[in-house]
Amino acid sequence: MAATMQDVARLAGVSAKTVSNVVNSHPHVAEATRLKVQAAIDKLGYELNVTARNLRKGRTGLIGLALPELKLPYFAELADSVMVEAEKAGLGVLIEQTNSDRDREIGVLHGQLRLMTDGLIFSPLALGMDDIHMFKVDFPLVLLGERVFGSANDHITMSNVEAAKAATLHLIAAGCRRIALIGAHPGEVVGSAALREQGYRAALQEAGLPVDEQLVRPSEYWHRGTGAAATDELIESGVEFDALFALNDALAMGAMHSLHAHRIDVPGDVSVFGFDDIEDAAYTRPTLSSVSPGRDQIAREAVQILEARVAEAHAPFDQRQPVHRIYADFELVPRESSRRPQVIDGAAGAKTSPAKLAH
Amino acid sequence: MAATMQDVARLAGVSAKTVSNVVNSHPHVAEATRLKVQAAIDKLGYELNVTARNLRKGRTGLIGLALPELKLPYFAELADSVMVEAEKAGLGVLIEQTNSDRDREIGVLHGQLRLMTDGLIFSPLALGMDDIHMFKVDFPLVLLGERVFGSANDHITMSNVEAAKAATLHLIAAGCRRIALIGAHPGEVVGSAALREQGYRAALQEAGLPVDEQLVRPSEYWHRGTGAAATDELIESGVEFDALFALNDALAMGAMHSLHAHRIDVPGDVSVFGFDDIEDAAYTRPTLSSVSPGRDQIAREAVQILEARVAEAHAPFDQRQPVHRIYADFELVPRESSRRPQVIDGAAGAKTSPAKLAH
DNA sequence: CATGCCATATACATCGTTGAAAGGGTAGAC
DNA sequence: GTCTACCCTTTCAACGATGTATATGGCATG
């Protein structure tokens, strides 16, 4: 059986509380006592029982992170960033995958695991504006993404409209005139798809270009396979286009796959722009232009806000911070896939000095 | 303040233990009582305090998963599989990233987070045979990977030698005669690199082909960037080769990037075979042949063994299971990158019916 | 010399739950 | 009518740590 503080105390000839004081580097502990206790700890191989401490303190030192799927590179990278930030704050991260499933997303808010955490960072993909009441919970909750607006939760998102507009304008500046959109969610009002499409339309309008609805291609899921399928359909429909703006990088990668299979050259015949700037983007062929969404900033703010909420959970209501609503900065990262045809030089391109387009 | 069992008990007019019995679906609870208690629970919005239960039960219901980096697709997919398995067993997963850093890997075995878990699944990349004593710990620990053999821990790995041999033989069967190896770790005796290289050499020998040491290219890290760099060097060295066997898919993707930049056609001029069969492999251009390492099986066995160890932790020593040493099955997944030149048809290839080469 | 302060250490209750053991009641067996 | 058996429920004492209040002794202050 593992040793307890009592065991250590007995061996060191002090009280359990003194052992506790040593372990927690309490200020007023005599050096001699500290050494005695430390010796006893080492001898017994004592390890603090964190569960007992948690019970006493009413906190677990863990935060939850609920996201659709770790396999999706964007979320793997987000999880990475969140874990790095959490570690700085001395917190552990309990990850839950929702698979974008409605029931699982609800489960995240009420399940067993939730009870083991002090708070939750949640990136919903299935729950939306209609479910806003579900986010009224009595534990610290920070929402990420674009599914929900106007709830009473802290919320971190990015400037989707502006970012999509900037990406589209970049394609226009490169000479593209018939820019297809891959990954639309028709009928959606909020959500990444709707907002990015909005930015796309705004850019066309600003440039005085018409929107051809045939170029707006829906795709419910944003995976490589669906991106390839949507592009196949677009090509087979016979509609002309000279650029593709994919609403995320996975779609873009699938699209490039499809273009290649149809012997359409990127960027010679068609330029491609993605969204998320996942690490893969620098290694596709050709390298993929994309929008970098400020992942680190999102993770940092999310953890910091959550931490502050956990800390104030036991404070009087009137001392609490107002609800945060944060828009993370973005950057355009142009790479080979969106070069003007005449500028192609075939060189392998890593991230080129990105146009900083701070919000 | 959150309600406790006492509060519920008072409201329902029963004892706290009865509330506990209801919450835990204890067999002998009168239906009337159950309803009374349930009503009180609903009315108060009572939620079980998991920490208190954990303290009482001496278990946390969490397992640790220590891996190098979630951003590496292989580990993201592994984490996914582990979480799915853990959920089936009613366990949560606390992920820690080591970044292949020695101190961090040691920290994983002794840090704060470890104390919050019932056991650990650990895939070390920095610690090796010299550190075998470190794995002698008094909590359930399942090791993954090829860094350590012969320790007294449960250990799950794959048949690296056989898998690498099969992949190399596949290239040979496709007509390749000068097969370069990317990602070697010279001097290493165990570890994925050493074992896979061993399989590579075995295949060449079996086919009666000589090993040209100039074709064995080292690369300490197995990332896309290093794969590209190693391939650049290989090309610039002027050594002839007609195939590349990359020791993981990231290296392979980097290699294909480099080959493309040098206008070398895959598989026309050079065939490429990777290792790990990450999801990306089906979407590279050309699609990447790879070895599928039985990730799901690894995850399943790891969680099941760990769970069994946790369960028997309080059992007498003589009733414990012997140490497990499991070799997961693998499969070859040939795709476009290793087709014989004359067989190329340019079609987009998803996972083609893979040659099952069970171990 | 009395007073108060500070550093140090302790005793005790407590966080919220559950296992063990025991109590009360009803029903069927003899 | 008593006994046994079983169902349902309760009481009590943990699990292992820490906050609060308190005790002790030394030292400085007035």
Side-chain angles (χ1 to χ4, degrees):
Chain A
M1 265 308 85
T4 73
M5 277 194 172
Q6 278 301 345
D7 303 329
V8 176
R10 209 167 4 249
L11 180 61
V14 297
S15 75
K17 185 69 219 282
T18 298
V19 177
S20 169
N21 289 338
V22 170
V23 170
N24 293 285
S25 342
H26 193 80
H28 303 305
V29 177
E31 191 54 25
T33 313
R34 174 188 313 287
L35 292 175
K36 254 191 325 192
V37 171
Q38 191 57 52
I41 288 177
D42 294 342
K43 183 159 178 189
L44 293 177
Y46 167 74
E47 282 181 332
L48 179 70
N49 181 321
V50 184
T51 304
R53 168 192 278 178
N54 288 346
L55 174 58
R56 193 58 240 249
K57 296 213 162 187
R59 295 184 44 169
T60 64
L62 297 180
I63 60 176
L65 174 63
L67 38 73
E69 227 181 317
L70 269 184
K71 280 195 278 201
L72 302 179
Y74 175 77
F75 289 105
E77 295 178 19
L78 179 67
D80 184 324
S81 300
V82 167
M83 292 176 64
V84 168
E85 283 303 320
E87 187 174 331
K88 286 185 199 160
L91 298 169
V93 180
L94 206 47
I95 298 180
E96 271 193 275
Q97 302 192 104
T98 63
N99 295 110
S100 312
D101 178 79
R102 189 181 158 76
D103 291 338
R104 290 182 63 90
E105 292 201 348
I106 295 172
V108 152
L109 295 171
H110 302 290
Q112 281 280 321
L113 290 183
R114 217 292 293 156
L115 301 174
M116 308 208 52
T117 61
D118 296 333
L120 177 65
I121 298 174
F122 185 15
S123 176
L125 268 198
L127 297 180
M129 293 301 285
D130 294 342
D131 308 295
I132 218 168
H133 61 281
M134 294 208 183
F135 297 110
K136 237 179 110 183
V137 293
D138 59 354
F139 56 86
L141 171 64
V142 174
L143 293 179
L144 304 184
E146 290 75 35
R147 294 288 302 176
V148 177
F149 287 94
S151 75
N153 302 287
D154 296 309
H155 187 185
I156 303 173
T157 181
M158 68 161 304
S159 311
N160 279 279
V161 180
E162 290 82 351
K165 183 175 167 188
T168 309
L169 286 173
H170 176 90
L171 288 169
I172 295 171
C176 305
R177 289 296 171 269
R178 293 193 52 78
I179 304 171
L181 183 83
I182 303 282
H185 288 179
E188 209 178 77
V189 178
V190 294
S192 314
L195 298 175
R196 293 176 192 176
E197 180 178 335
Q198 199 179 316
Y200 160 82
R201 288 175 186 272
L204 293 181
Q205 184 171 16
E206 187 169 310
L209 294 172
V211 176
D212 181 347
E213 297 300 337
Q214 287 191 288
L215 289 174
V216 178
R217 314 301 293 197
S219 180
E220 186 183 354
Y221 297 105
W222 286 2
H223 296 164
R224 281 166 295 224
T226 54
T231 307
D232 286 347
E233 280 175 33
L234 172 63
I235 294 168
E236 282 151 24
S237 75
V239 182
E240 278 183 32
F241 62 100
D242 55 12
L244 279 180
F245 176 34
L247 295 191
N248 84 351
D249 286 348
L251 288 169
M253 289 168 67
M256 292 211 294
H257 194 81
S258 160
L259 291 170
H260 174 64
H262 288 84
R263 310 209 181 285
I264 297 173
D265 185 56
V266 176
D269 302 322
V270 167
S271 288
V272 177
F273 219 101
F275 207 111
D276 281 351
D277 190 31
I278 62 176
E279 287 196 359
D280 274 331
Y283 294 92
T284 55
R285 193 171 128 199
T287 56
L288 176 64
S289 300
S290 194
V291 178
S292 173
R295 233 183 334 269
D296 286 346
Q297 186 192 356
I298 292 174
R300 187 173 351 105
E301 306 258 23
V303 172
Q304 285 174 0
I305 291 173
L306 192 61
E307 203 193 354
R309 291 289 178 207
V310 172
E312 74 179 15
H314 301 282
F317 280 92
D318 54 6
Q319 288 179 21
R320 301 192 178 174
Q321 302 174 28
V323 170
H324 294 273
R325 198 137 305 164
I326 290 173
Y327 287 81
D329 296 337
F330 67 91
E331 277 181 42
L332 287 197
V333 185
R335 296 201 182 83
E336 292 168 358
S337 70
S338 68
R339 296 254 166 89
R340 289 167 209 258
Q342 57 270 37
V343 187
I344 305 174
D345 62 76
K351 189 186 262 196
T352 56
S353 61
K356 173 81 178 176
L357 293 180
H359 174 59
Chain B
M1 265 307 83
T4 73
M5 277 192 173
Q6 278 300 343
D7 302 329
V8 176
R10 207 164 8 242
L11 181 60
V14 298
S15 76
K17 185 68 220 279
T18 298
V19 177
S20 170
N21 288 339
V22 170
V23 170
N24 294 286
S25 344
H26 192 81
H28 302 306
V29 177
E31 191 54 24
T33 314
R34 176 189 311 288
L35 291 175
K36 255 192 322 192
V37 170
Q38 192 56 54
I41 287 177
D42 294 342
K43 182 159 179 189
L44 294 177
Y46 167 75
E47 283 182 331
L48 179 69
N49 181 321
V50 183
T51 304
R53 167 193 278 177
N54 288 345
L55 174 58
R56 190 60 238 250
K57 297 214 162 182
R59 295 183 44 169
T60 65
L62 296 181
I63 60 177
L65 173 63
L67 39 75
E69 228 180 317
L70 270 184
K71 280 196 278 201
L72 302 179
Y74 175 78
F75 289 105
E77 294 178 19
L78 179 67
D80 184 325
S81 300
V82 168
M83 291 176 63
V84 169
E85 283 304 321
E87 187 174 329
K88 286 184 198 159
L91 298 169
V93 180
L94 206 47
I95 298 180
E96 271 192 275
Q97 301 192 102
T98 63
N99 294 109
S100 311
D101 178 79
R102 190 180 158 77
D103 292 337
R104 290 183 61 91
E105 291 200 348
I106 294 172
V108 151
L109 295 170
H110 302 291
Q112 280 279 322
L113 289 184
R114 217 292 294 153
L115 301 174
M116 307 209 52
T117 61
D118 295 334
L120 178 65
I121 298 175
F122 185 14
S123 175
L125 268 198
L127 298 180
M129 293 302 284
D130 295 343
D131 308 295
I132 218 167
H133 61 281
M134 294 209 184
F135 297 110
K136 238 178 110 183
V137 293
D138 59 355
F139 55 87
L141 171 64
V142 174
L143 293 179
L144 303 185
E146 292 75 34
R147 294 287 303 174
V148 176
F149 287 95
S151 74
N153 303 288
D154 296 310
H155 187 183
I156 303 172
T157 181
M158 67 162 303
S159 310
N160 279 279
V161 180
E162 290 80 352
K165 184 173 167 189
T168 309
L169 286 173
H170 176 89
L171 287 169
I172 294 170
C176 304
R177 287 298 171 269
R178 295 194 48 78
I179 303 171
L181 183 84
I182 303 284
H185 287 179
E188 210 179 76
V189 179
V190 295
S192 315
L195 298 175
R196 293 176 192 176
E197 179 178 336
Q198 200 179 313
Y200 160 82
R201 289 176 185 271
L204 292 181
Q205 186 171 15
E206 186 169 310
L209 294 173
V211 176
D212 180 347
E213 296 300 336
Q214 287 189 288
L215 289 175
V216 179
R217 314 301 293 196
S219 180
E220 187 182 352
Y221 297 106
W222 286 3
H223 296 162
R224 281 166 295 221
T226 54
T231 307
D232 286 346
E233 281 175 32
L234 172 63
I235 294 169
E236 281 149 24
S237 75
V239 182
E240 278 183 32
F241 62 99
D242 56 12
L244 278 180
F245 177 34
L247 295 190
N248 83 351
D249 287 346
L251 288 170
M253 288 167 66
M256 292 211 293
H257 194 80
S258 161
L259 291 169
H260 175 64
H262 288 86
R263 310 203 180 288
I264 297 172
D265 184 57
V266 177
D269 303 321
V270 168
S271 286
V272 176
F273 218 101
F275 207 110
D276 281 350
D277 190 30
I278 61 176
E279 288 197 357
D280 274 332
Y283 294 92
T284 54
R285 195 172 126 196
T287 56
L288 176 65
S289 299
S290 193
V291 178
S292 173
R295 233 182 337 265
D296 285 346
Q297 187 192 357
I298 292 174
R300 187 175 349 106
E301 306 257 24
V303 171
Q304 285 174 0
I305 291 174
L306 192 61
E307 201 193 356
R309 291 291 179 206
V310 172
E312 74 179 16
H314 303 279
F317 280 91
D318 55 5
Q319 288 179 21
R320 301 192 177 175
Q321 302 175 28
V323 170
H324 294 273
R325 198 137 306 165
I326 291 173
Y327 286 81
D329 297 336
F330 68 92
E331 276 181 42
L332 288 197
V333 185
R335 296 200 182 84
E336 293 168 358
S337 70
S338 68
R339 298 256 164 87
R340 289 169 209 257
Q342 57 270 35
V343 187
I344 304 175
D345 62 73
K351 190 185 259 194
T352 56
S353 60
K356 173 83 179 176
L357 293 180
H359 172 60

